[in-house]
Amino acid sequence: MSALAVSLRLWAAGRAPTLARGLRLVDRVRARALLLGCEVGRDVMVQGALLVAVAGRARIGAGTCFIEGPVPSSLRVAPGGLLELGAGCTLNYGVSLEVHDAVHIGARCLFGSYVRVADGARGGNARVLIGDDVWLAHGAVIEPGVTIGDGAVIGAGAVVTRDVPAGMLALGNPARVMSQGLSSGGRS
Amino acid sequence: MTFASTLKLWRCAKVGARVRVLGSVWIVGEGRVELGDDVCLDGRAAPIELQTGRGALLRIGEGCVLEAGVSIEAQDRVELGPRCLLRPFAKVMDNQFHLVASDHRRQRPPSSAVRLEAGVELGAHSIVLPGAWLEAGVKLGPGVVIGRHVRSGLTLAGVPPRAVHP
């Protein structure tokens, strides 16, 4: 059923602007319903399913969008935890955000599919800070206690165990930090 | 081919003989999806995603097996040769969808076709990036990320990948 919904959405995006606007309205209404109990900004959109288990506090910035896919994204905030997701972020499907203490994510971040961010592990909790305009590509994992600077790029499949300074590129497992100039435009 | 499999593959432009679909598949987009004979899509534990952009071609060769959660995104051209094995949650993409430069992040870069030759095996959670060309018999270990040409018969493991002797 949801594959059909995505087909319709892709078709509408290209060919039927009125229908596309209608679908966006549906996504906004669905966001309000699914994110009950969270502080939700204007024009937050949830396409398709989303697993929400918020026992602490969660703030979702205006214009943030959860994209539909074969696997739903999940937001889990433990009691006393705080999740701040900035304005204008886009999250692809299968993203997992798990908060025990605090996770701050800046504005206009891009999350690829299956990105995982958690601030807790068996060893205890440590806050995760992600700046503005950060791009986390498909399958990236952010370990507890990591700070990522503004404009950084986390490559596909990277496991980030240490801080990434602003404007840098982190690749590999464990992730190594390098200059974004080393990647040639779209290629990595 | 069972009636259920035929229904699940209604979006495909071409489906070979004896194709099996287990569990759920997500076939979306306006491109062309072609499945060869004896292909097996096993989406029982997690759905398989085959996404194609307008004008794109995704060709899956005869006898390929795609396990749970495998995702292939074609914006231009992705070709899997015969008898490829894609382990759970492997990902193949021919476009990165975003530019690295932060002031042009929302722009889409040009696509770069991906080619997997006969008998290629992708490990669980491995990622094949735009422009990759894996020659016959190449094996990728779990979690490997690769976006370049790999010579026939090599086995790669680790991130960044290194050649290992099997």
Side-chain angles (χ1 to χ4, degrees), chain A residues 3 7 10 70 93, chain B residues 8-9 11-12 24-35 39 41 47-53 58 60 66 70-74 78 80 86 92:
Chain A
S7 299
L10 290 171
Y93 66 85
Chain B
K8 289 172 189 172
L9 298 175
R11 291 277 293 108
C12 295
S24 69
V25 288
W26 256 62
I27 303 176
V28 295
E30 298 174 56
R32 192 177 163 82
V33 181
E34 298 181 4
L35 305 180
V39 165
L41 307 176
I48 288 172
E49 182 192 23
L50 304 177
Q51 200 173 97
T52 47
L58 167 55
I60 298 180
L66 276 62
V70 165
S71 162
I72 303 179
E73 290 190 67
V78 173
L80 275 62
L86 279 66
V92 179

Side-chain angles (χ1 to χ4, degrees), chain A residues 2-4 6-7 10 15 69-70 88 90 93 110 114 133 135 138 151 153 156-157 172-173 176 180 183 185-188, chain B residues 10-11 26-30 47 49 54 69 71 89 91 96 98-102 105-106 109 127 129-130 145 147 159-160:
Chain A
S2 24
L4 202 66
V6 168
S7 299
L10 290 171
R15 295 193 196 152
T90 305
Y93 66 85
L110 299 168
Y114 297 117
D133 300 297
W135 171 24
H138 173 93
V153 174
N173 176 11
R176 267 167 280 179
Q180 286 182 7
S183 77
R187 301 284 307 278
S188 67
Chain B
W10 69 278
R11 291 277 293 108
W26 256 62
I27 303 176
V28 295
E30 298 174 56
E49 182 192 23
R54 194 173 298 175
S71 162
F89 293 96
K91 171 95 182 176
Q96 305 224 31
H98 303 285
L99 288 172
V100 168
S102 66
R105 198 61 55 79
R106 299 265 170 177
I127 302 168
L129 294 173
V145 182
V159 192

Side-chain angles (χ1 to χ4, degrees), chain B residues 57-134:
Chain B
L57 170 67
L58 167 55
R59 188 178 281 152
I60 298 180
E62 45 145 330
C64 283
V65 177
L66 276 62
E67 294 190 8
V70 165
S71 162
I72 303 179
E73 290 190 67
Q75 296 302 317
D76 172 33
R77 196 181 181 91
V78 173
E79 283 182 277
L80 275 62
R83 297 174 307 283
C84 288
L85 172 57
L86 279 66
R87 295 285 186 193
F89 293 96
K91 171 95 182 176
V92 179
M93 54 211 286
D94 69 350
N95 193 305
Q96 305 224 31
F97 298 96
H98 303 285
L99 288 172
V100 168
S102 66
D103 40 348
H104 302 291
R105 198 61 55 79
R106 299 265 170 177
Q107 280 177 29
R108 184 178 287 194
S111 300
S112 185
V114 171
R115 202 165 123 209
L116 275 59
E117 293 186 358
V120 166
E121 184 178 334
L122 305 185
H125 293 275
S126 56
I127 302 168
V128 176
L129 294 173
W133 171 23
L134 310 185

Side-chain angles (χ1 to χ4, degrees), chain A residues 102-184:
Chain A
V103 171
H104 297 270
I105 295 166
R108 300 174 301 278
C109 288
L110 299 168
F111 287 72
S113 35
Y114 297 117
V115 166
R116 180 170 162 76
V117 180
D119 70 345
R122 276 157 299 195
N125 301 333
R127 295 177 172 213
V128 172
L129 297 169
I130 298 177
D132 296 338
D133 300 297
V134 174
W135 171 24
L136 302 115
H138 173 93
V141 176
I142 310 300
E143 296 273 287
V146 165
T147 299
I148 297 174
D150 295 345
V153 174
I154 312 300
V159 178
V160 183
T161 52
R162 291 185 191 173
D163 292 355
V164 178
M168 298 297 269
L169 174 67
L171 299 175
N173 176 11
R176 267 167 280 179
V177 174
M178 54 196 81
S179 155
Q180 286 182 7
L182 286 176
S183 77
S184 52

